[in-house]
Structure formats: C-alpha cells, structure tokens
C-alpha cells in the first residue's frame, strides 16, 4: 500500500465548533470535490453529514458518504 493510504488528521468547523477527523487522502480529496461540485464548503457539507450520521463516527460517516456518491455515479 502506498503512503497516501494512511489516515491524516483534518480540521473541520461544524456549526462553530472545531473538530477533527482522520481520513485517507483519497476520501478527503473526493469529499472536497463533492462539496465543490455541489457549491458547498467542506465544513457545510460535513455539518450536513454530521446531523444525519446517527451513532457512527464522523470519519466513518464521511467515508460512507463518499463511497455512496461514487457508487451512485458508477451506476448512472
């Protein structure tokens, strides 16, 4: 596995509160791309995901969100 497969701590601000998530580069890059394509900030999109994530961790919720977007695009 290459170096970019290791999670890196990323800072976010969700509704005025600083937090961090550890995400691999591939997930972080795609998350930023999705936010940009939808005219949202990364903090805004992360806040939306945070509100609906239930009892799973934020980093896991972000990975699932990115994966679902990728799978939906591959079936279109």
């Amino acid at each position: 596995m290459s170096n970019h497969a290791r999670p890196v701590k990323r800072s976010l601000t969700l509704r005025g509160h600083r937090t961090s998530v550890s995400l691999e580069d591939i997930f972080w890059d795609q998350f930023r791309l999705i936010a940009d394509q939808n005219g949202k900030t990364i903090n805004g999109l992360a806040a939306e995901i945070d509100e609906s994530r239930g009892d799973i961790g934020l980093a896991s919720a972000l990975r699932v969100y990115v994966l679902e977007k990728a799978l939906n695009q591959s079936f279109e």
Side-chain angles (χ1 to χ4, degrees):
M1 269 196 166
S2 61
N3 250 359
H4 65 82
R6 296 191 67 128
V8 175
K9 192 168 276 206
R10 321 283 180 163
S11 295
L12 293 168
T13 303
L14 306 180
R15 296 172 302 281
H17 299 283
R18 298 285 290 166
T19 191
S20 63
V21 294
S22 292
L23 285 178
E24 298 79 5
D25 285 344
I26 193 166
F27 284 105
W28 183 252
D29 292 345
Q30 288 303 302
F31 178 68
R32 291 177 58 196
L33 181 64
I34 293 165
D36 187 54
Q37 288 173 341
N38 290 284
K40 298 178 181 181
T41 64
I42 57 171
N43 290 324
L45 182 55
E48 289 177 21
I49 295 166
D50 183 51
E51 290 172 8
S52 64
R53 69 184 165 100
D55 61 353
I56 67 169
L58 181 57
S60 294
L62 294 176
R63 286 185 192 94
V64 169
Y65 181 85
V66 167
L67 180 59
E68 286 177 341
K69 288 290 190 185
L71 289 173
N72 286 339
Q73 284 185 347
S74 68
F75 290 113
E76 290 179 355

